[in-house]
Every structure is written in C-alpha cells, then in structure tokens.
Amino acid sequence: MPNGDENQLIELAQYRIETKTRASAILALAGVALVLIFAVLPVFAGRGPIQDLIFVSICLRWRSAGTCLRAMPVSSSVGQQAFVGLGGYLLFALTIGAGIDPIAAVVLSGLIAAVFAVPTAFVLFRLRGPYFAIGSWVVAEVYRLVFAQFKQLGGGTGTSLPPSATNEIFGIEW
C-alpha cells in the first residue's frame, strides 16, 4: 500500500458510528417509564389532569404533523383534517348507533378512516404543486359537507357521547 493510501485510512479511522450510546439508553428507559406512568395514571389521577394531558398530546401531534408537512418542498396538504373528522364522526356513530365500546370504536374508527384515506390518496397524489393543495382542500370540504348531513351525530355542530356509553367504557370501574 502506498503512503498516501495509509494516511487516508488512518484519517478515516478517526470517525466512529455509534448506534447505542449512554444517552440513547437513558432516553429509552425514560420513554418506557413515561409509558408506564401514563398506563397507571387513571388509578391515581383525576379526570381533569388526564383530559389536559390528552389535549396537550393532540396539540403536540398536530404541531409535529404541521412541521413535517412544511418540510416537504414539493407541495403541502391542507386536507388532513378530513380524516381526523371522519375518525371522530365514526367514533360517535359506532358508539351511539352500533353500541360499540368507545375504546374499541377508537381503534375501528382509525382503521375505517385509513380505508377511506387510501383511495383518496391515489386520486390526490396524481396532483402536483398548488393543484395538490387545492385538491386536498376540496376533499376536506366534501367530507365536511357529508358529515353535516348526519343529524343523528349533531350535523355540522357535533354531539356528545351519552352517559350510558361513557359510564360503561372498559376499565372505567378502576
């Protein structure tokens, strides 16, 4: 090996890639501890703090989604709220109309909203630039207009779950 190649090898050997560091192990343990705390939170916390934590987590989720969307240089979507609304309305429809437990209805609502999102994505992802933004806005408006037609779910103004549904949620006896 010539001297020039040896020097390059030595210079490259200075750098190391570490996939597991002390900081990553500490953060992983902190994450596991946080999940466990949230899992037992209903045992020792009241309804108010739990609702506040849910609200904060929803705000953080929307903030991170907005950051991800703004990071895409090609185009931006303004219609993702259609599927959040679809999931919300499905939660109420499954709980009030079909009598499904609200916890199970949350999972089913997400799955059904995903089923609706896939064909919508096939149509919207054919659009580029401002056409994509306008198309996603139109999809959101169409979903909003459809939701407003269901008077049993409060029309466009919304509704609340009846006490009979909320009092019988799985695990509420705790």
Side-chain angles (χ1 to χ4, degrees):
M1 220 180 213
N3 280 340
D5 290 339
E6 286 178 9
N7 289 339
Q8 284 180 341
L9 252 133
I10 292 170
E11 288 175 15
L12 292 174
Q14 294 175 12
Y15 300 103
R16 266 191 356 227
I17 297 175
E18 291 185 78
T19 56
K20 183 180 178 186
T21 63
R22 181 176 169 90
S24 68
I26 291 171
L27 284 173
L29 286 174
V32 168
L34 194 61
V35 167
L36 290 174
I37 289 170
F38 285 152
V40 297
L41 191 64
V43 173
F44 58 86
R47 188 179 198 136
I50 293 173
Q51 285 179 335
D52 291 343
L53 280 172
I54 290 170
F55 178 72
V56 167
S57 67
I58 289 171
C59 289
L60 288 173
R61 186 257 174 253
W62 276 105
R63 175 68 178 131
S64 64
T67 301
C68 290
L69 287 173
R70 281 189 291 283
M72 294 175 22
V74 178
S75 57
S76 62
S77 169
V78 290
Q80 63 272 14
Q81 71 274 14
F83 300 104
V84 174
L86 176 61
Y89 272 97
L90 284 170
L91 165 68
F92 283 88
L94 292 172
T95 303
I96 295 171
I100 296 175
D101 184 71
I103 302 297
V106 167
V107 175
L108 284 172
S109 300
L111 292 173
I112 294 170
V115 167
F116 276 86
V118 170
T120 305
F122 281 122
V123 172
L124 284 179
F125 288 157
R126 293 175 179 262
L127 304 173
R128 297 284 175 245
Y131 299 106
F132 176 75
I134 293 168
S136 62
W137 180 27
V138 168
V139 166
E141 280 297 306
V142 167
Y143 274 82
R144 185 188 65 80
L145 292 170
V146 169
F147 298 153
Q149 303 307 312
F150 291 97
K151 302 300 179 198
Q152 304 87 343
L153 300 175
T157 60
T159 187
S160 296
L161 287 176
S164 61
T166 57
N167 290 338
E168 297 170 5
I169 292 176
F170 173 76
I172 199 77
E173 307 85 44
W174 294 358

